[in-house]
Amino acid sequence: MLAMQFQLEHSQWDEPDQILRNQLSQLSLLYNHAYKTIDLYTQKYRKAGLKKGHQIISIDEWQALPIITRSEIQEAGEHFVSKAVPVEHGPTRSIQTSGSTGKPIVIHSTGIVNFFWNVFTLREHLWHQRDFTKKLGIIRWIDNANEALAPNGLHRKGWGHSTDVAFKTGSASILNLRCNLREQYEWLKREKPHYLLTYATNALALAQYFQELGESLPSLKQVRTLSEAFGSELRTTCRDVWNAQVIDMYSARETGYLALQCPEHEHYHVQSENALIEIVDEAGNPCKPGQIGRVIISTLHNYASPLLRYDIGDYAELGESCSCGRGLPIIKRIAGRVRNMLVLPNGERFWPLFGPSKCAAVAPIKQIQCVQQDYTKLEIRMVVERPLT
C-alpha cells in the first residue's frame, strides 16, 4: 500500500501527455486480453473490423473502438467474464451494481481490483490530510437489515483495511442508512465523529434537520460524500450548520474510484492510474472544457470483466487544467446519478431503497424506476421482456 502511494505521489505530477501514454499502454494489453477471452468483446470488435494483437498508440485509435453499454453487459450476464483471468491477479468474485440507473449489472473483479480500491481510498485520505487518530462516522446502506441499526450501530477499532494496514487509526462508528433522520441525529450527537461519510442527499437532509432544531455538531470537521451528485446547497448548509467542509468523490461499484476532489479546489481530478475517462457529446465526439457530456470509462486493472469504453450512464462537465499543478484531468461537475429522499405524509424523510435486483429475480424486469408523485402515491415504471403476470 505504501509503495503504491509512493508511485502515485510521483505520477500525479506527470504531464497530461505522459499520463495518457501510460494509460494507452495498459489499455492495449486489456484490449487484446478482452478480444481473446470475452465473447462480448470478440463479437463486437470483429463486427467493427478490429483485429487482435493491435498496439493502440493514440487516443484517436482508442476512441475508434465501439462503446459498450449497460444493456449489453446485462444481456451477457454471467458470461461477461474472461476465460483466462491471470492467476497472479488473485481470486475473482462477482459484483452487482446498486441499480441506481435502473439497470443493475453483474461483473467479476479480482484481488488486484480490490487492492486498487484500497489504494485510492488511502490516497483520498492523504490528499485531504485527515488526522488518522480521530473518530470516523459512517452512515450508509448495509445489506443486512439487522446490522448497525439504531440506537447503537456498529463499532470497530480502526477506520478500515485501506488505512489500518499502514497507519494506526482512531475508531469508527457505523449506522445503517435504514435509520430515519431522528435516529441518525441522536446517533451523531452521541458518537461525536470528527469525520462523517455518507450520501450527499442524506448529508443535506441531516444538516437541515440539525438546522431546524437549532443544533450543532462541534466535533465534526469534514463531511465525505459518495455515490451521487449534489449542488452547492450541500456545501453551504454543512458549512453554516456544522462549520464542516464537504469533500466529494466519484466512484462506482463496477469501476472503482473515478475521480477525487482536488485538495485545493472543489472540482475533481480523474484517477488516471485507475481509469481513462472520456466525456463525449451525443454524437460521440470529445467535449471541450465547459461542455457537459456522457461519461465513457475504461478501467485499467480488471482482467476478469474489463470495462472498455463503457457508457456508465452518467453526465459530467469537463474542466480546464488545475492550478494545483497535477497533470490528472479535471471534471468540473458531475451531473448524473442523483437520487432523492422519500418523504412520508408526516414529513419524515428517508433514503428510498426498493431493491431492483430483487425485482429482477422475481420476473424478467430489465429496468425499474420509482417516482414519488405526492405524499401518498408512488409510481413504479418498469421495462420488461414480456408482459408480467
Side-chain angles (χ1 to χ4, degrees):
M1 286 286 287
L2 292 176
M4 185 57 68
Q5 296 304 322
F6 180 82
Q7 291 187 41
L8 294 179
E9 174 59 31
H10 288 77
S11 62
Q12 66 182 328
W13 306 109
D14 284 345
E15 293 295 324
D17 288 348
Q18 180 60 52
I19 291 173
L20 180 59
R21 282 196 296 272
N22 292 341
Q23 290 177 310
L24 292 176
S25 175
Q26 177 68 16
L27 286 170
S28 288
L29 299 173
L30 265 169
Y31 161 80
N32 287 295
H33 172 75
Y35 199 138
K36 291 186 291 186
T37 68
I38 300 178
D39 291 340
L40 177 58
Y41 285 112
T42 304
Q43 297 164 10
K44 200 171 181 67
Y45 291 161
R46 280 178 179 169
K47 186 176 181 180
L50 300 169
K51 297 180 180 179
K52 287 185 286 188
H54 182 55
Q55 178 70 24
I56 298 170
I57 60 173
S58 73
I59 188 62
D60 289 339
E61 285 185 273
W62 183 254
Q63 291 173 339
L65 268 61
I67 288 173
I68 189 168
T69 66
R70 296 181 74 92
S71 295
E72 289 175 309
I73 298 173
Q74 193 179 43
E75 289 170 9
E78 286 294 328
H79 297 292
F80 188 65
V81 59
S82 171
K83 301 183 183 78
V85 180
V87 294
E88 298 87 353
H89 285 223
T92 62
R93 66 185 181 97
S94 63
I95 295 174
Q96 180 165 302
T97 63
S98 64
S100 61
T101 62
K103 289 185 177 181
I105 62 172
V106 176
I107 70 162
H108 290 74
S109 71
T110 67
I112 287 288
V113 173
N114 186 60
F115 171 71
F116 275 101
W117 261 109
N118 291 324
V119 163
F120 288 100
T121 300
L122 183 55
R123 177 191 240 184
E124 199 262 349
H125 287 312
L126 295 173
W127 267 16
H128 296 285
Q129 300 180 342
R130 298 196 179 103
D131 185 343
F132 290 136
T133 67
K134 302 297 184 181
K135 179 186 256 188
L136 172 64
I138 301 170
I139 303 176
R140 66 183 306 172
W141 168 246
I142 297 174
D143 289 334
N144 187 336
N146 296 320
E147 287 189 357
L149 289 175
N152 297 320
L154 294 176
H155 298 87
R156 65 187 185 202
K157 292 182 178 179
W159 287 12
H161 183 71
S162 59
T163 48
D164 299 350
V165 296
F167 297 95
K168 182 176 176 59
T169 64
S171 62
S173 298
I174 308 165
L175 190 68
N176 199 324
L177 192 61
R178 285 180 178 270
C179 299
N180 62 38
L181 284 176
R182 181 70 190 184
E183 292 169 329
Q184 293 183 41
Y185 158 79
E186 293 173 348
W187 179 84
L188 283 170
K189 293 288 285 186
R190 185 169 59 253
E191 294 294 334
K192 299 180 174 62
H194 196 82
Y195 304 109
L196 173 64
L197 173 67
T198 191
Y199 306 98
T201 310
N202 194 59
L204 178 60
L206 267 172
Q208 291 171 338
Y209 191 81
F210 270 75
Q211 191 172 43
E212 291 167 4
L213 295 177
E215 292 282 354
S216 62
L217 194 61
S219 63
L220 189 63
K221 303 303 177 188
Q222 200 174 89
V223 178
R224 300 169 59 211
T225 53
L226 75 164
S227 190
E228 59 181 354
F230 64 87
S232 58
E233 182 184 12
L234 175 61
R235 295 190 191 277
T236 302
T237 305
C238 288
R239 183 175 61 247
D240 292 345
V241 177
W242 291 327
N243 194 29
Q245 180 187 23
V246 175
I247 304 295
D248 191 35
M249 66 188 81
Y250 180 31
S251 64
R253 284 179 65 88
E254 67 267 41
T255 62
Y257 282 93
L258 299 173
L260 299 177
Q261 185 175 317
C262 177
E264 300 176 25
H265 304 281
E266 292 181 355
H267 55 230
Y268 306 81
H269 281 288
V270 174
Q271 299 304 285
S272 296
E273 302 93 342
N274 189 56
L276 171 66
I277 292 184
E278 306 165 55
I279 299 179
V280 303
D281 62 22
E282 293 305 318
N285 300 313
C287 289
K288 296 177 180 179
Q291 284 185 290
I292 295 176
R294 293 184 295 151
V295 178
I296 307 298
I297 298 166
S298 301
T299 56
L300 302 185
H301 306 292
N302 190 345
Y303 275 67
S305 295
L307 293 168
L308 305 180
R309 302 210 74 215
Y310 163 57
D311 188 343
I312 193 171
D314 293 348
Y315 284 80
E317 179 182 346
L318 189 65
E320 303 276 3
S321 59
C322 185
S323 61
C324 74
R326 291 174 175 83
L328 302 171
I330 297 298
I331 293 177
K332 184 176 181 180
R333 180 165 61 96
I334 299 157
R337 301 167 70 202
V338 177
R339 289 175 286 180
N340 297 316
M341 302 290 279
L342 189 70
V343 185
L344 299 183
N346 64 3
E348 182 183 328
R349 293 164 289 175
F350 69 94
W351 189 271
L353 292 159
F354 53 94
S357 60
K358 293 181 180 179
C359 294
V362 174
I365 298 168
K366 299 179 67 176
Q367 190 172 4
I368 187 166
Q369 182 182 66
C370 178
V371 181
Q372 182 169 18
Q373 300 288 6
D374 55 38
Y375 284 120
T376 61
K377 182 180 178 182
L378 296 177
E379 180 179 291
I380 305 297
R381 303 168 179 172
M382 292 177 285
V383 177
V384 296
E385 293 180 0
R386 58 163 174 76
L388 301 184
T389 61

